[in-house]
Amino acid sequence: MHILLVGLSHNSAPLAVRERVSFSHNQLEEALPALRKRAGDSIIVSTCNRTEIYTTTPNPTKTTGTVLDFLAGYHKLDPDTLAPHLYTEQDTDAARHLFQVAAGLDSFILGESEILGQVRNALSASSDAHRVQVPLSRLFHGAIRSGRRVRDETDISRNALSVSFAGVRLVQRELGDLARLHVLLVGAGEAGRLVAKALRTAGVGRLTVTNRTHERAVELANELAAEAVPFEDMPRYLDTADVVITATEVSNLMSVSDITEAMHRRADKPLFVMDLGVPRNVEPQAADVENVRLYNIYDLSAIAEENLQLRKAAAGDAEAIVEEELAKFTLWWESQEAVSAVKELQKRADDIRLKELER
């Protein structure tokens, strides 16, 4: 058996491709059982910057094709279009990659604080969908332990920056002091919660939260002294907000026409839109509407570069921890081959014994 990784990330694919193969939480509930039927024991890690599938297989070449066909079929894409953006790793290399991901060493923003929880959630989602077998369970628990150690024992978590915080920092850079601004936050899930906390930390003047499930918006608003409004009232608040930040799993939540109509009612008042969703929540063509400044997750590169310089010194210590934890997993993984051989020898000896007894 081999550990196989098939995936794509910000290192291999543009946002336009990544958003088309991302899995929402609800999609995972449907996709994981379907993937397991085709590729065996599997875990999907899907975040704003990556979609990766980990599986165990006796035939990596065949299973790579199976995973490609599954991704393309599920998301209704041409396999030949998707294939150039995929990377594959096997065994120790696949394990090392996951350990680096959990530690924040392969992130768009080095050391970003959200990814460890996302790796943990990927394991939980697979466990809920089907019983994860020992090899993948052990692999992911090892990666999570490695990620925790990196954050506890190195400076890579100092001044920790998540994608959500980076988005708010970009708003600050472009607009200055947030104390005088009214921000409309669309989305009250985990990403929305992180954005809301970042806004409060940045000293936002007025914060309005809306969400398809109004109860979640109310809960978040109560927690952070914000205002919760019904989702159907969102167009009215588009008319008055200085900044709109979206952080949901819904593609094209705001169309060009939605933005255009709002701008007509705003009497030329500029609107700053920060789209942190993957897939994108706001139609990209909205950037062409007069007086609209639209940014998406890919526009955080300048913030990511600053963060990289601050954390490069800590990356070496983090890599050492990853290699230490990886060595523990690799030792266990390689021992499984010997265990399998011993079991096979025991079975053969038992078969011979039974035949002799019968004779």
Side-chain angles (χ1 to χ4, degrees):
M1 292 294 287
H2 298 272
I3 296 171
L4 174 67
L5 155 65
V6 181
L8 54 78
S9 73
H10 59 282
N11 293 316
S12 69
L15 177 59
V17 175
R18 299 199 309 272
E19 66 183 355
R20 296 190 67 186
V21 295
S22 66
F23 291 87
S24 68
H25 179 74
N26 290 337
Q27 286 176 320
L28 282 178
E29 294 178 358
E30 173 188 57
L32 282 164
L35 175 61
R36 181 181 174 85
K37 286 181 181 179
R38 298 180 63 176
D41 196 31
S42 307
I43 296 178
I44 299 175
V45 177
S46 187
T47 74
C48 57
N49 280 315
R50 74 182 66 249
T51 294
E52 295 179 344
I53 292 178
Y54 294 82
T55 186
T56 51
T57 173
N59 190 333
T61 301
K62 180 180 178 182
T63 303
T64 297
T66 300
V67 171
L68 170 59
D69 290 342
F70 169 79
L71 278 172
Y74 187 88
H75 293 290
K76 298 179 175 57
L77 297 171
D78 180 358
D80 292 336
T81 301
L82 182 59
H85 301 288
L86 294 178
Y87 46 78
T88 63
E89 299 287 357
Q90 291 182 37
D91 299 327
T92 300
D93 290 335
R96 176 179 287 107
H97 180 86
L98 178 61
F99 280 45
Q100 290 173 333
V101 167
L105 293 172
D106 191 63
S107 295
F108 181 60
I109 299 175
L110 180 66
E112 58 110 342
S113 55
E114 294 175 351
I115 186 62
L116 182 58
Q118 291 166 333
V119 170
R120 188 183 294 110
N121 291 340
L123 175 59
S124 296
S126 291
S127 298
D128 291 342
H130 56 76
R131 184 171 177 268
V132 177
Q133 300 300 309
V134 171
L136 286 186
S137 175
R138 186 113 179 194
L139 171 66
F140 269 72
H141 280 295
I144 292 166
R145 182 174 59 251
S146 176
R148 281 201 305 261
R149 282 193 59 196
V150 165
R151 283 159 177 79
D152 290 342
E153 300 175 26
T154 75
D155 287 338
I156 204 165
S157 60
R158 183 173 295 173
N159 302 315
L161 192 67
S162 66
V163 170
S164 302
F165 272 78
V168 172
R169 187 170 292 181
L170 178 59
V171 175
Q172 284 181 296
R173 171 177 290 181
E174 295 295 319
L175 301 182
D177 184 13
L178 299 186
R180 57 185 178 80
L181 301 180
H182 173 203
V183 177
L184 171 64
L185 172 61
V186 184
E190 183 59 28
R193 183 176 298 276
L194 288 168
V195 172
K197 289 181 177 179
L199 287 167
R200 275 293 172 234
T201 301
V204 67
R206 180 185 173 193
L207 176 60
T208 301
V209 182
T210 190
N211 190 68
R212 285 186 182 275
T213 305
H214 185 59
E215 291 75 14
R216 296 188 73 173
V218 171
E219 179 185 344
L220 181 57
N222 290 339
E223 181 182 335
L224 294 170
E227 174 189 8
V229 299
F231 190 76
E232 55 270 21
D233 288 349
M234 183 174 63
R236 180 158 61 90
Y237 287 86
L238 279 176
D239 297 350
T240 58
D242 300 295
V243 178
V244 175
I245 301 180
T246 65
T248 79
E249 296 178 337
V250 182
S251 61
N252 292 335
L253 185 71
M254 293 183 193
S255 65
V256 174
S257 60
D258 293 332
I259 299 293
T260 302
E261 290 170 10
M263 294 309 294
H264 285 321
R265 297 190 295 267
R266 291 171 66 91
D268 295 328
K269 179 184 177 182
L271 177 63
F272 187 102
V273 183
M274 183 75 244
D275 182 357
L276 295 177
V278 176
R280 281 174 282 191
N281 303 152
V282 182
E283 273 193 294
Q285 293 78 7
D288 298 328
V289 178
E290 190 175 359
N291 286 324
V292 172
R293 294 162 67 184
L294 174 62
Y295 295 81
N296 61 46
I297 202 164
Y298 212 69
D299 294 311
L300 303 180
S301 56
I303 305 293
E305 181 61 27
E306 289 177 10
N307 181 259
L308 179 64
Q309 299 307 319
L310 289 171
R311 296 189 176 186
K312 268 186 174 178
D317 295 336
E319 287 281 7
I321 291 174
V322 164
E323 290 299 322
E324 182 182 330
E325 292 293 336
L326 178 65
K328 296 177 185 176
F329 173 78
T330 301
L331 183 63
W332 173 84
W333 175 249
E334 292 176 348
S335 73
Q336 299 308 294
E337 185 174 349
V339 170
S340 297
V342 170
K343 286 182 178 178
E344 180 63 25
L345 287 172
Q346 288 174 333
K347 183 177 182 301
R348 290 183 185 180
D350 205 42
D351 288 343
I352 293 171
R353 179 183 64 82
L354 290 172
K355 286 179 182 178
E356 286 302 302
L357 279 171
E358 289 172 1
R359 187 178 66 80

